[in-house]
Structure formats: structure tokens, C-alpha cells
Amino acid sequence: MAFISSGYNPEKPMENRISDIGPQHFTEFLQPVIKKNFGKWVYHEILEPGVLKHVAESGDAVYTVRCGTARLMSVTHIREICDIADQWCDGYLRFTTRNNIEFMVEDEGKAKDLKKFLNDQKFPGGSFKFPVGGTGAGVSNIVHTQGWVHCHTPATDASGTVKATMDAVFDQFTDMKLPAPVRISMACCLNMCGAVHCSDIAILGIHRKPPIIDHKYLDNLCEIPLAVAACPTGAVRPSKVEVDGKDYKTVAIKEERCMFCGNCYTMCPSLPLADKEGDGIALMVGGKVSNRITKPAFSKVVVPFLPNNTPRWPEMTDVIKRILTAYSEGANKYERLGDWATRIGWERFFEVCDLEFSEHLIDDFRDPAYYTWRQTTQFKW
Amino acid sequence: MAVVEFQGKQFEVDEDGFLLQFDSWAPEWVDYVKESEGIKDLTDDHQKVIDFLQDYYKKNGIAPMVRILSKVTGFKLKQIYELFPSGPGKGACKMAGLPKPTGCV
């Protein structure tokens, strides 16, 4: 395509440059009823899955219809969302912190019609474009990352695993029959961008092989001390090697100390470690961020490895469904997944979910590992 | 990788225009890069920053932290951005021939 200038002058890059203006103020985009009753809400209720009602002191009510998205979306799709907002909501809409879309209307009948309309929209392949749900004690959208779409350090894909998982748990998105909300998150490497460390169920990409060292290029592409300092287990040390009769400054990696975190690759492009067979997924459960009844908690690893079986990750969705079923049958009302597992004991959790317990699940990282072992005689056979 | 020719010198660069080898740096490199980094004329202040980055890299094997660069050269971050509009990483380090910054940048 031929070049079309925006008016920017590369000869004078700092001329007419606008900077530090920040985002636009959110009040410019508030739906009128919400703007009018800002800070004056009295109560809310969930009318049905995906439809909320908020009532203000003035008696005004606003009805919110929440629908799922794939998060990764085209401009065509966004325009379609805008068309719906124009047609039903005077052009107003919002996105939630789990990347769902919310349309706000002022009339209950209209909200229900909108729900029906949204549920009728489909992609040519048959998928729902705007499935309504994600409220109350169900499974809402999956917070996820870039994966093979854009990142250079992933051990698995994000959009693919998330689509496979949401297909498997779709009934829980459009319903509210679980004991408490179940938050599923996904991160494609253990940088854990997003919420995997604090979610009820977490999908995490992991490696199982140490980095390959490009000795010839390492010193030129990397700041060696940074690669050394990037290692949490002290497996990387500076070193010298001779390749084809030439001396190179490089690093050496003690493979028995390496746990394949990939931090050194983040800092140094000459230490790639992605591997088709080695890479896969670990599953964690039991995290939460809210303070409701129990304190916020980190999620714990319960499945050390599942293969990257593209494009549907059947082993992964199978385990997630098993955990979800055992939780929904076993937990009390309001009990989050981690609260339930703590109450029945983790040995019972592994039993009811039919998960294998292996040595990989026993913490061995520095002094705090000790506190995760059992220093009591209290356990169940 | 691409090879750049400028004033009779050859420089091997990556897709972001960083030198692939610190050793291949030459004063001509600065002249070649300055335009793409929005710098018209090279001043003593520019040179002071480049010299310090190179000395620090040779001595320590890493680029200095921004606060060290500020403290040693005496230029506040704002002044560094005035000298190098793309900033200390993309601008100054590239001109000094240091490796491309890594991490979650």
C-alpha cells in the first residue's frame, strides 16, 4: 500500500508533538442514567444469568447485559459491538475487568430482548458472537495472555487453550449453579502476566528443558551479568568457550540446577528454550483475590504437566472439567474452590478430583518450601 | 541480518537498528543513527552520554541503570530525553553501540 502521511513530519519529529495527555476521562463516556446516579446506588440484583439490575436512590434503574468476548478481536468485531450499542443503548457500552462486554439499557423488557438478540448472533463457524452470561456463581471469562499470537517467551498458546477451555465449561458461563464464582486464568509462561497466581483454576505454560546457548552470538546480543542475575537458582555463570578456534565470552548453565523458568531468555536472546515436546501446561487451583470470609490466596500447582496437544488440548480440558465437577458436587454454598480444598484437606482434593500426586508438587524452592510441608499428625488416610 | 553502509563503513544491524557487535562501533555509526533517532546536531552533551555508556559497558558488561546514568553525567532524565528523544535505551544505547535492551520493555 502506498504511504499515506498522518501529518507527522519525520524531518522535525518534535514539532507539534502532543504528549503526556493521558487517557480520556471516563465521565465522558458514562451512560446517562449512570452519570446521573453516580455514587448513589442503593442495591443490585442478578435477574437472570448475564442480566443485572442496579437501582439508585432516585428510583432510577439500569439494566446491564453482560456477554463474553474472545478478548483478541478485529476492528470489524468492535464495529459490530458499536452497531449493537447504537441500536440498543444510545451508543454506550463498557468492557469488564475480565474482558466481557456490558450493554446498559433502562428498561427490563429491553434488556431481555437484547439478551435474546445477542444470543442469536453467530459466527459463520457456528460459535456465539456475544454469548450472554458471566454473572454470579458461574465461570466468567478467562483472563489470558498473548501466547503464540504475539509473545516470544511462551510455552503454550493463550487464545487456543482459552477457546478449548471455554467450550468445555460454556454451560457454567451461561448459568449460575456453582457454589461460588470460579475464576479461570491463563498465562503462557511463568511470568504469569494476568491472574494465574490468584485464580480458582489456572492454566500455566511451562518448559521442561534447559536453554540452548548460542555461544557465538551471546556476548554481542546480551549483557552477560543480567543473564546471570536473572536466574532464581544460580544455575547461570559467566564462562568462556572456544568455537572454531575462536574464544568467545559466554555463559555456562548447570543443567541440574536449571528449572526451565526461561528468565534468562527474557534477558538474553541467545538462550532460547522453547521446545515442541518439552513444553506444556501446568494446572494450579485454589487462588482468590477477594477478602470474602477467607483471606486472598495464591493458587497451588496440582497438575505438574500436560502436553501441548493442539488445537484442542483435550487432556487439559478433561482435568479442568473433572476439578470443576468435583468442586460443584463437594463444596458448600459461597465456598470458593480453594476454601473447599482447604476444608476437606488437599489429600482428599486429589482423591475426589482423581489427580495423581507426584514429587513435582512438593515445594522445594528455598526456605519457605518448609512451611508447605505437613508438620502435624492430622491427615486422612 | 541487514548490513548498513555509511561513509565507507559497514555495520551489521538487527531489525530495530541496533548494532549486532559492540566492537564494530565507529564514530560514523553515531552520524548514521542520529537522524533516525530525531537528532539534528551532535553536541558535547550527546557525546558525554555516549562516552559514559561505552565506558560503563566495557567495564561492567551491562548498560547502566537510568539513575546511574543521571547521577554520573549530571543530566536529569528530562534532559536525557531532550538530548535523545527516543530515550536512554532506544536512543542513547543504540548510538553508543550497546546491545538492545531486553526484558519486558
Side-chain angles (χ1 to χ4, degrees):
Chain A
M1 196 170 74
F3 174 72
I4 300 169
S5 171
S6 64
Y8 166 76
N9 180 3
E11 299 298 314
K12 293 176 178 166
M14 302 303 276
E15 197 179 79
N16 299 325
R17 179 169 173 269
I18 299 165
S19 76
D20 303 302
I21 53 169
Q24 287 185 278
H25 201 270
F26 65 93
T27 50
E28 288 173 47
F29 310 97
L30 285 183
Q31 200 265 358
V33 180
I34 292 179
K35 195 166 197 166
K36 183 185 160 207
N37 296 288
F38 196 91
K40 296 193 163 48
W41 300 102
V42 185
Y43 70 94
H44 75 275
E45 54 189 306
I46 303 175
L47 300 178
E48 55 185 82
V51 184
L52 303 154
K53 175 191 185 184
H54 286 79
V55 178
E57 284 169 8
S58 61
D60 289 352
V62 70
Y63 298 84
T64 305
V65 182
R66 182 180 296 171
C67 59
T69 75
R71 193 179 73 101
L72 190 70
M73 56 177 73
S74 66
V75 175
T76 311
H77 194 63
I78 294 172
R79 288 206 169 117
E80 244 172 278
I81 296 166
C82 294
D83 287 344
I84 295 170
D86 283 338
Q87 196 185 330
W88 295 80
C89 322
D90 302 322
Y92 294 96
L93 70 103
R94 64 183 291 268
F95 281 80
T96 70
T97 53
R98 295 193 84 82
N99 305 302
N100 291 307
I101 310 169
E102 288 186 346
F103 296 104
M104 281 82 56
V105 293
E106 291 160 34
D107 174 80
E108 183 168 345
K110 203 174 170 189
K112 294 197 169 156
D113 290 346
L114 176 56
K115 176 174 174 176
K116 191 177 173 312
F117 173 81
L118 290 168
N119 277 333
D120 285 342
Q121 307 301 308
K122 295 210 175 168
F123 286 106
S127 304
F128 289 97
K129 270 187 183 172
F130 308 105
V132 176
T135 51
V139 175
S140 189
N141 215 345
I142 300 182
V143 168
H144 64 280
T145 56
Q146 302 192 24
W148 296 329
V149 171
H150 197 72
C151 189
H152 73 301
T153 65
T156 186
D157 189 35
S159 297
T161 52
V162 164
K163 166 71 174 155
T165 308
M166 279 314 283
D167 281 350
V169 303
F170 185 71
D171 291 348
Q172 311 292 352
F173 180 81
T174 53
D175 218 334
M176 309 190 289
K177 288 192 179 135
L178 293 172
V182 170
R183 302 287 184 230
I184 307 181
S185 301
M186 193 282 152
C188 46
C189 82
L190 38 64
N191 263 4
M192 297 193 179
C193 301
V196 285
H197 64 297
C198 56
S199 294
D200 294 288
I201 300 178
I203 306 164
L204 180 68
I206 54 155
H207 304 283
R208 291 188 301 166
K209 295 185 183 180
I212 295 163
I213 309 175
D214 285 340
H215 291 297
K216 276 189 177 174
Y217 303 97
L218 194 136
D219 186 34
N220 283 312
L221 293 180
C222 310
E223 302 165 51
I224 289 173
L226 296 188
V228 172
C231 185
T233 60
V236 183
R237 65 176 197 279
S239 145
K240 278 188 178 134
V241 291
E242 198 186 298
V243 184
D244 304 332
K246 266 184 82 179
D247 279 335
Y248 291 95
K249 277 206 279 182
T250 179
V251 296
I253 295 176
K254 224 181 224 176
E255 299 202 350
E256 67 273 20
R257 285 192 74 90
C258 177
M259 56 174 182
F260 332 120
C261 69
N263 275 355
C264 54
Y265 177 59
T266 301
M267 296 314 293
C268 172
S270 302
L271 298 168
L273 77 163
D275 183 271
K276 195 178 175 193
E277 278 79 35
D279 294 356
I281 281 167
L283 288 181
M284 315 198 302
V285 305
K288 70 186 199 85
V289 288
S290 83
N291 252 316
R292 202 252 265 131
I293 305 173
T294 53
K295 287 186 285 185
F298 284 130
S299 37
K300 298 177 197 295
V301 184
V302 292
V303 179
F305 181 78
L306 292 164
N308 266 335
N309 202 347
T310 54
R312 299 296 295 176
W313 284 268
E315 296 87 351
M316 177 195 73
T317 51
D318 175 56
V319 177
I320 291 174
K321 265 173 29 193
R322 230 156 57 212
I323 294 173
L324 211 53
T325 309
Y327 161 71
S328 67
E329 285 167 1
N332 296 329
K333 197 161 166 57
Y334 303 125
E335 214 168 27
R336 294 288 290 264
L337 205 152
D339 299 339
W340 165 66
T342 319
R343 174 171 62 81
I344 65 173
W346 285 93
E347 64 270 33
R348 188 69 89 231
F349 171 85
F350 279 87
E351 200 178 298
V352 295
C353 294
D354 191 22
L355 298 174
E356 192 194 342
F357 188 93
S358 62
E359 75 278 14
H360 302 290
L361 305 178
I362 302 171
D363 195 346
D364 58 358
F365 190 66
R366 303 198 177 175
D367 293 354
Y370 176 79
Y371 299 102
T372 66
W373 305 339
R374 184 159 305 184
Q375 287 130 47
T376 167
T377 53
Q378 300 199 357
F379 71 97
K380 295 179 191 114
W381 289 107
Chain B
M1 285 293 173
V3 175
V4 168
E5 270 205 52
F6 186 73
Q7 295 180 353
K9 293 252 178 181
Q10 288 200 333
F11 301 101
E12 229 185 326
V13 298
D14 66 12
E15 69 278 13
D16 293 312
F18 277 81
L19 275 186
L20 284 183
Q21 293 186 350
F22 179 66
D23 294 338
S24 66
W25 185 90
E28 289 86 352
W29 171 250
V30 178
D31 282 328
Y32 169 72
V33 179
K34 69 178 186 192
E35 201 167 325
S36 67
E37 292 307 319
I39 298 165
K40 271 269 162 313
D41 302 299
L42 217 63
T43 62
D44 289 346
D45 290 349
H46 288 105
Q47 198 58 48
K48 187 175 166 189
V49 172
I50 291 171
D51 286 346
F52 170 67
L53 287 173
Q54 293 189 329
D55 288 346
Y56 193 93
Y57 180 70
K58 281 180 204 156
K59 198 169 146 201
N60 300 297
I62 59 172
M65 275 160 274
V66 170
R67 290 173 62 148
I68 296 177
L69 178 66
S70 276
K71 198 167 178 180
V72 176
T73 59
F75 297 131
K76 294 211 170 74
L77 188 59
K78 192 167 178 291
Q79 293 169 295
I80 292 172
Y81 269 92
E82 279 160 9
L83 295 169
F84 301 93
S86 325
K90 216 180 140 301
C93 282
K94 186 197 273 188
M95 291 180 87
L98 270 56
K100 186 159 60 186
T102 55
C104 299
V105 285

